[in-house]
Amino acid sequence: MGWHLPISLEAFPSLPPGRSKVSFFFVAMAGGMDVSHSGGEETGGMMGRCSHRPEMLSKVAYIPPSWASHLQLVPSHFFSLGQFPTPIHQWHLPGLPDGTEVYIKRDDLTGMQLSGNKVRKLEFLLADAKEQGADCVITIGGIQSNHCRATAVAARYIGLDSYLILRTNRTEVEDDPGLTGNLLVERMVGAHVSLVSKEEYVKYGSVMLGNLLADKLKSQGRKPYVIPVGGSDSLGTWGYIEFVRELKTQLQEGSTSGVTHFDDIVMACGSGGTTAGLSLAAHLSKFDAQVHAYAVCDSEEYFYDYTQGLIDGLIGGVSSREIVRIVNAKGLGYAMSTSAELNLVKDVAESTGIILDPVYSGKALNGMLKDMAENPTNWEGKKVLFVHTGGLLGMYEKVVQLQPLLGKWERLRIPEFVMQPDDTKG
């Protein structure tokens, strides 16, 4: 589908003799050149200071933080894909409980085409795909899936084709899906799009659909690597284990608007991987913050069980119910917005300049503010970190609903007596 310029990033050599993995956190292999970085346990890690971030698209040997080194499925490498560390700044939201301060970590700024939280997971998943000899990747999601868009872009960056299974309405499954939002980016980078109806998705499930397409591609001589919905498996969970190392480093270095700790961390929960990685890492690193995950689909019980499976896959040794508070914030359902939710997204954008996607972070903020209004004493005097997980391109699907809420436009009427340019000439 289209013409592609292949980018070859093959396997890289191991650490040279005399260089221990204790002294060097990673070796960036770019164009055959060995670029090494050293540093302390917390400040010299993979995603600590900007100066320690390896060259874009380089494949890097991975060393986990000491507090996570006992976990299983420790990745051997990652691809440097995102713009890290993402900034943190205070977020002046109206109507907060007394003494409550909210800060926001901008994981919506991990890139432009690659924006959002999925980049952190893909850095590990795509390195694994390359190591297994894959020549293409398969993943699955909704018609405006941020994860599918990020996967298509990242795969193209490192020379892999992408095959996307996108879930849509049964009345539209036979038609060209168009070029709205994430679809435009996906199709621009040459992704192969296969549509399924929501009913087929429910009947067969994401795993069976992914395997079905994988078998088809294998019969054609391809070597596919299947990435689960949202990149949320135990390997992808390492993306948000690294998030916590990055956050701890930012706090230690004083690059968090003068804040030295956070009492609470808030995020949207849509597929479970971000929730599992962040909450497990906060627990293991003794971060001492309550993690709140506002679920935008399914139920609290589903996500407690799903995140438990991801934690158990790493032999995390802890119950999900002990390390994260999951709250139902799905409203009408996944990707379905109420007028109140869209008005909140609009009002926050107008008052603070932060645009939240209505599917994930918008619902999470709505849930958090409702929580604060109903239980203000639980939040009073707290420093809260809200994780913005991206999703701006998904806003385009909400244009029809948003347009009546957005005014402030007019036809500029030019009075007839206004002097014409030539009238100034004598």
Side-chain angles (χ1 to χ4, degrees):
M1 185 173 178
W3 179 86
H4 311 302
L5 175 65
I7 303 171
S8 178
L9 291 175
E10 302 300 332
F12 294 86
S14 58
L15 285 169
R19 293 186 175 174
S20 71
K21 290 185 179 180
V22 175
S23 300
F24 294 87
F25 265 87
F26 51 73
V27 177
M29 305 296 181
M33 181 177 174
D34 176 354
V35 184
S36 303
H37 299 254
S38 62
E41 175 61 30
E42 296 302 336
T43 60
M46 168 185 125
M47 296 179 187
R49 303 176 182 176
C50 291
S51 60
H52 288 192
R53 185 68 185 168
E55 182 181 347
M56 182 79 169
L57 303 187
S58 58
K59 189 179 181 183
V60 181
Y62 177 68
I63 304 297
S66 59
W67 39 262
S69 60
H70 66 286
L71 297 175
Q72 298 297 302
L73 297 178
V74 177
S76 62
H77 292 81
F78 73 98
F79 272 111
S80 178
L81 300 174
Q83 305 301 309
F84 301 117
T86 55
I88 297 172
H89 60 81
Q90 191 165 3
W91 197 14
H92 297 285
L93 296 169
L96 298 176
D98 291 342
T100 302
E101 295 178 3
V102 175
Y103 295 78
I104 184 168
K105 184 156 173 60
R106 304 293 302 276
D107 269 20
D108 59 317
L109 301 180
T110 52
M112 177 54 189
Q113 297 163 211
L114 272 178
S115 63
N117 62 325
K118 307 304 183 184
V119 184
R120 294 185 186 270
K121 305 174 188 181
L122 289 168
E123 292 201 322
F124 293 102
L125 292 166
L126 291 177
D128 188 51
K130 274 287 193 177
E131 288 174 17
Q132 293 193 27
D135 62 8
C136 59
V137 295
I138 298 169
T139 198
I140 188 167
I143 193 68
Q144 282 295 329
S145 169
N146 300 304
H147 162 68
C148 288
R149 179 257 307 155
T151 300
V153 172
R156 177 53 57 219
Y157 278 169
I158 63 170
L160 300 178
D161 291 332
S162 61
Y163 290 81
L164 311 179
I165 303 173
L166 301 183
R167 183 180 65 247
T168 190
N169 298 322
R170 65 173 179 268
T171 57
E172 300 173 349
V173 74
E174 302 293 341
D175 301 329
D176 187 308
L179 299 174
T180 299
N182 286 303
L183 281 163
L184 174 61
V185 177
E186 291 161 359
R187 299 180 76 177
M188 285 290 290
V189 298
H192 301 255
V193 174
S194 299
L195 301 179
V196 296
S197 69
K198 294 177 181 177
E199 292 76 14
E200 290 170 330
Y201 182 87
V202 171
K203 181 178 180 179
Y204 298 106
S206 62
V207 174
M208 181 177 290
L209 291 170
N211 290 338
L212 181 68
L213 182 53
D215 290 342
K216 176 183 176 181
L217 291 174
K218 288 176 184 176
S219 70
Q220 298 170 358
R222 303 302 301 270
K223 298 177 181 178
Y225 180 93
V226 180
I227 296 174
V229 173
S232 293
D233 60 11
S234 294
L235 179 60
T237 296
W238 282 94
Y240 271 81
I241 292 175
E242 273 301 324
F243 170 97
V244 171
R245 170 151 66 179
E246 176 181 301
L247 176 57
K248 287 170 68 69
T249 300
Q250 287 177 293
L251 288 167
Q252 291 167 1
E253 294 180 343
S255 57
T256 51
S257 299
V259 177
T260 58
H261 79 284
F262 292 107
D263 301 295
D264 298 83
I265 301 176
V266 172
M267 64 189 156
C269 178
S271 59
T274 298
T275 298
L278 197 158
S279 58
L280 177 60
H283 168 72
L284 294 177
S285 67
K286 296 180 170 47
F287 193 85
D288 195 26
Q290 171 68 60
V291 179
H292 309 262
Y294 288 87
V296 303
C297 56
D298 297 299
S299 66
E300 297 100 313
E301 286 303 308
Y302 169 83
F303 279 116
Y304 277 125
D305 291 342
Y306 192 83
T307 55
Q308 188 65 58
L310 299 182
I311 292 168
D312 290 346
L314 300 175
I315 318 297
V318 66
S319 168
S320 61
R321 289 168 173 79
E322 296 176 5
I323 60 175
V324 61
R325 172 178 174 257
I326 299 177
V327 183
N328 185 349
K330 66 182 178 182
L332 294 176
Y334 177 73
M336 299 171 65
S337 301
T338 65
S339 295
E341 290 169 350
L342 290 177
N343 267 303
L344 175 63
V345 169
K346 175 193 71 90
D347 291 344
V348 167
E350 284 189 348
S351 61
T352 72
I354 303 296
I355 299 178
L356 303 170
D357 82 290
V359 177
Y360 296 98
S361 292
K363 285 182 180 284
L365 180 64
N366 186 62
M368 183 189 80
L369 293 178
K370 181 180 178 182
D371 207 341
M372 288 180 169
E374 295 176 352
N375 307 286
T377 56
N378 294 342
W379 300 87
E380 288 176 354
K382 300 289 186 66
K383 287 182 170 59
V384 181
L385 180 67
F386 185 95
V387 182
H388 189 335
T389 52
L392 177 62
L393 290 171
M395 290 288 288
Y396 288 92
E397 193 180 39
K398 301 291 183 181
V399 167
V400 173
Q401 287 180 272
L402 284 168
Q403 191 161 1
L405 308 179
L406 303 174
K408 298 186 178 180
W409 77 274
E410 64 178 2
R411 164 75 161 89
L412 181 62
R413 302 297 178 182
I414 304 172
E416 293 182 4
F417 61 80
V418 171
M419 185 178 294
Q420 298 296 314
D422 289 344
D423 292 345
T424 60
K425 297 179 181 180

